[in-house]
Coordinates of all heavy atoms in Angstrom, one line a residue:
V9 N 7.7 -13.9 49.8 CA 9.0 -13.3 49.9 C 9.9 -14.0 48.9 O 10.1 -15.2 48.9 CB 9.6 -13.3 51.3 CG1 11.0 -12.8 51.3 CG2 8.8 -12.6 52.3
E10 N 10.5 -13.2 47.9 CA 11.4 -13.7 47.0 C 12.8 -13.8 47.7 O 13.4 -12.8 48.1 CB 11.5 -12.8 45.8 CG 12.5 -13.3 44.7 CD 12.7 -12.2 43.6 OE1 11.8 -11.5 43.4 OE2 13.7 -12.3 43.0
P12 N 16.5 -14.6 47.0 CA 17.5 -14.8 46.0 C 18.4 -16.0 46.2 O 18.7 -16.3 47.4 CB 18.3 -13.5 46.0 CG 17.4 -12.5 46.7 CD 16.6 -13.3 47.7
Y17 N 25.7 -11.4 51.8 CA 26.8 -10.7 52.5 C 26.3 -10.6 54.0 O 25.2 -9.9 54.2 CB 27.1 -9.3 51.9 CG 28.0 -8.4 52.7 CD1 29.3 -8.8 53.0 CD2 27.6 -7.1 53.0 CE1 30.1 -8.0 53.7 CE2 28.5 -6.3 53.6 CZ 29.7 -6.7 54.0 OH 30.6 -5.9 54.7
I19 N 26.6 -9.4 57.9 CA 27.3 -8.5 58.8 C 26.5 -8.5 60.2 O 25.3 -8.5 60.2 CB 27.3 -7.1 58.2 CG1 28.1 -6.1 59.1 CG2 26.0 -6.6 57.9 CD1 28.5 -4.8 58.4
L64 N 27.9 -2.2 46.9 CA 26.8 -2.8 46.1 C 26.1 -1.7 45.4 O 25.7 -0.7 46.0 CB 25.9 -3.6 47.0 CG 26.6 -4.8 47.7 CD1 25.7 -5.4 48.8 CD2 27.1 -5.8 46.8
R67 N 19.8 -3.4 43.1 CA 18.7 -3.5 44.0 C 19.0 -4.5 45.1 O 19.7 -5.5 44.8 CB 17.4 -3.9 43.3 CG 17.1 -3.0 42.0 CD 17.2 -1.5 42.2 NE 16.3 -1.0 43.3 CZ 16.3 0.2 43.8 NH1 17.2 1.1 43.4 NH2 15.5 0.5 44.8
L68 N 18.6 -4.3 46.3 CA 19.0 -5.1 47.4 C 17.8 -5.7 48.2 O 16.7 -5.1 48.3 CB 19.8 -4.3 48.4 CG 21.1 -3.7 47.8 CD1 21.7 -2.8 48.9 CD2 22.0 -4.7 47.3
S69 N 18.1 -6.8 48.8 CA 17.1 -7.5 49.7 C 17.9 -7.6 51.1 O 19.0 -8.1 51.1 CB 16.7 -8.8 49.2 OG 15.9 -9.5 50.1
L70 N 17.3 -7.2 52.2 CA 17.9 -7.3 53.5 C 17.0 -8.1 54.4 O 15.8 -7.9 54.5 CB 18.1 -5.9 54.1 CG 19.4 -5.2 53.8 CD1 19.4 -4.8 52.4 CD2 19.5 -4.0 54.7
F71 N 17.7 -9.1 55.1 CA 17.0 -9.9 56.1 C 17.7 -9.6 57.4 O 18.9 -9.8 57.5 CB 17.2 -11.4 55.8 CG 16.5 -11.7 54.4 CD1 17.3 -11.6 53.3 CD2 15.2 -12.1 54.4 CE1 16.7 -11.9 52.0 CE2 14.6 -12.4 53.1 CZ 15.4 -12.3 52.0
I72 N 17.0 -9.1 58.4 CA 17.5 -8.6 59.6 C 17.0 -9.4 60.8 O 15.7 -9.4 61.0 CB 17.3 -7.1 59.8 CG1 17.9 -6.3 58.6 CG2 17.9 -6.6 61.1 CD1 17.6 -4.8 58.6
S73 N 17.9 -9.9 61.6 CA 17.5 -10.6 62.9 C 17.9 -9.6 64.0 O 19.0 -9.3 64.1 CB 18.2 -11.9 63.1 OG 17.9 -12.8 62.1
L88 N 15.9 0.7 62.7 CA 16.6 0.5 61.4 C 17.3 1.7 60.8 O 18.3 1.5 60.1 CB 15.5 0.0 60.4 CG 14.8 -1.3 60.7 CD1 13.8 -1.6 59.7 CD2 15.8 -2.4 60.9
P91 N 21.4 1.9 61.6 CA 22.3 0.9 60.9 C 22.2 1.0 59.4 O 23.3 0.8 58.7 CB 21.8 -0.4 61.4 CG 20.5 -0.2 62.0 CD 20.5 1.2 62.4
L92 N 21.1 1.3 58.8 CA 21.0 1.4 57.3 C 21.8 2.5 56.8 O 22.5 2.4 55.8 CB 19.5 1.5 56.9 CG 18.6 0.3 57.2 CD1 17.2 0.5 56.7 CD2 19.2 -1.0 56.7
M95 N 25.6 1.8 57.3 CA 26.2 0.8 56.3 C 26.4 1.5 55.0 O 27.4 1.2 54.3 CB 25.2 -0.4 56.2 CG 25.3 -1.4 57.3 SD 24.5 -2.9 57.1 CE 22.8 -2.4 56.7
V100 N 29.0 -0.3 52.2 CA 28.3 -1.6 52.0 C 27.5 -1.5 50.7 O 27.6 -2.3 49.8 CB 27.5 -2.1 53.1 CG1 26.7 -3.3 52.8 CG2 28.3 -2.3 54.4
Y101 N 26.8 -0.4 50.6 CA 26.0 0.0 49.4 C 26.0 1.5 49.2 O 26.5 2.2 50.1 CB 24.6 -0.6 49.4 CG 23.9 -0.4 50.8 CD1 23.4 0.8 51.1 CD2 23.7 -1.5 51.6 CE1 22.7 1.0 52.4 CE2 23.1 -1.3 52.9 CZ 22.6 -0.1 53.2 OH 21.9 0.1 54.4
D104 N 20.6 3.7 51.0 CA 19.6 2.8 51.4 C 18.3 2.9 50.6 O 17.4 2.0 50.7 CB 19.3 3.0 52.9 CG 18.9 4.4 53.3 OD1 18.9 5.3 52.5 OD2 18.7 4.5 54.5
Q106 N 18.3 1.8 47.7 CA 18.5 0.6 46.9 C 17.7 -0.6 47.4 O 17.6 -1.6 46.7 CB 20.0 0.2 46.8 CG 20.9 1.2 46.1 CD 22.3 0.8 46.3 OE1 23.1 1.5 47.0 NE2 22.7 -0.3 45.7
I107 N 17.3 -0.5 48.6 CA 16.6 -1.6 49.3 C 15.2 -1.7 48.8 O 14.4 -0.8 49.0 CB 16.7 -1.4 50.8 CG1 18.1 -1.3 51.3 CG2 16.0 -2.6 51.5 CD1 18.3 -0.9 52.7
D108 N 14.9 -2.8 48.2 CA 13.6 -3.1 47.7 C 12.8 -4.1 48.6 O 11.6 -4.1 48.6 CB 13.6 -3.8 46.3 CG 14.0 -2.8 45.2 OD1 13.8 -1.5 45.4 OD2 14.4 -3.2 44.1
Q109 N 13.6 -4.9 49.3 CA 12.9 -5.9 50.2 C 13.6 -5.8 51.6 O 14.9 -5.8 51.6 CB 13.1 -7.2 49.6 CG 12.3 -8.3 50.1 CD 12.5 -9.6 49.3 OE1 13.6 -10.2 49.3 NE2 11.4 -10.0 48.6
L110 N 12.8 -5.7 52.6 CA 13.4 -5.5 54.0 C 12.5 -6.4 54.9 O 11.3 -6.1 55.1 CB 13.3 -4.1 54.4 CG 13.9 -3.7 55.7 CD1 15.3 -4.0 55.8 CD2 13.6 -2.2 56.0
I111 N 13.1 -7.4 55.4 CA 12.4 -8.4 56.3 C 13.1 -8.3 57.7 O 14.4 -8.4 57.7 CB 12.5 -9.8 55.8 CG1 12.1 -9.9 54.3 CG2 11.7 -10.8 56.7 CD1 10.6 -9.6 54.1
V112 N 12.4 -8.1 58.7 CA 12.9 -7.9 60.1 C 12.2 -8.8 61.0 O 11.0 -8.9 61.1 CB 12.8 -6.4 60.6 CG1 13.5 -6.3 61.9 CG2 13.3 -5.4 59.6
W113 N 13.1 -9.6 61.8 CA 12.5 -10.5 62.8 C 13.0 -10.0 64.2 O 14.2 -9.7 64.3 CB 13.1 -11.9 62.7 CG 12.6 -12.7 61.5 CD1 11.5 -13.4 61.5 CD2 13.2 -12.8 60.2 NE1 11.3 -14.0 60.3 CE2 12.4 -13.6 59.5 CE3 14.3 -12.2 59.6 CZ2 12.6 -13.9 58.2 CZ3 14.6 -12.6 58.3 CH2 13.8 -13.4 57.6
V124 N 21.8 -8.9 63.1 CA 22.5 -9.7 62.2 C 21.8 -9.5 60.8 O 20.6 -9.7 60.7 CB 22.5 -11.2 62.5 CG1 23.1 -12.0 61.4 CG2 23.2 -11.5 63.8
I125 N 22.5 -9.0 59.9 CA 22.0 -8.5 58.6 C 22.6 -9.3 57.5 O 23.8 -9.4 57.4 CB 22.2 -7.0 58.4 CG1 21.7 -6.2 59.6 CG2 21.6 -6.5 57.1 CD1 22.0 -4.8 59.6
E126 N 21.7 -9.9 56.6 CA 22.1 -10.5 55.4 C 21.6 -9.7 54.2 O 20.4 -9.4 54.2 CB 21.6 -12.0 55.4 CG 22.2 -12.8 56.5 CD 21.8 -14.3 56.4 OE1 21.0 -14.6 55.6 OE2 22.4 -15.1 57.1
I127 N 22.6 -9.4 53.4 CA 22.2 -8.5 52.2 C 22.5 -9.3 50.9 O 23.5 -10.0 50.8 CB 23.1 -7.3 52.2 CG1 23.0 -6.5 53.5 CG2 22.8 -6.4 51.0 CD1 24.0 -5.4 53.7
V128 N 21.5 -9.3 50.0 CA 21.6 -10.0 48.8 C 21.2 -9.0 47.7 O 20.2 -8.3 47.8 CB 20.7 -11.2 48.7 CG1 20.8 -11.9 47.4 CG2 21.0 -12.2 49.9
E129 N 22.0 -9.1 46.6 CA 21.7 -8.3 45.4 C 20.6 -9.0 44.7 O 20.7 -10.2 44.5 CB 22.9 -8.1 44.5 CG 23.8 -7.0 45.0 CD 24.8 -6.6 44.0 OE1 25.8 -7.3 43.9 OE2 24.7 -5.6 43.3
L130 N 19.5 -8.3 44.3 CA 18.4 -8.9 43.5 C 18.8 -9.0 42.0 O 19.5 -8.3 41.5 CB 17.1 -8.1 43.7 CG 16.6 -8.1 45.2 CD1 15.4 -7.1 45.3 CD2 16.2 -9.5 45.7

Side-chain angles (χ1 to χ4, degrees):
V9 175
E10 179 185 336
Y17 172 55
I19 183 169
L64 300 171
R67 308 311 302 169
L68 303 174
S69 179
L70 273 68
F71 300 88
I72 302 174
S73 299
L88 301 176
L92 295 182
M95 285 191 300
V100 174
Y101 44 77
D104 54 1
Q106 293 171 251
I107 301 167
D108 286 342
Q109 194 173 66
L110 182 61
I111 309 294
V112 184
W113 290 272
V124 176
I125 303 173
E126 293 187 350
I127 304 169
V128 178
E129 282 191 280
L130 297 174

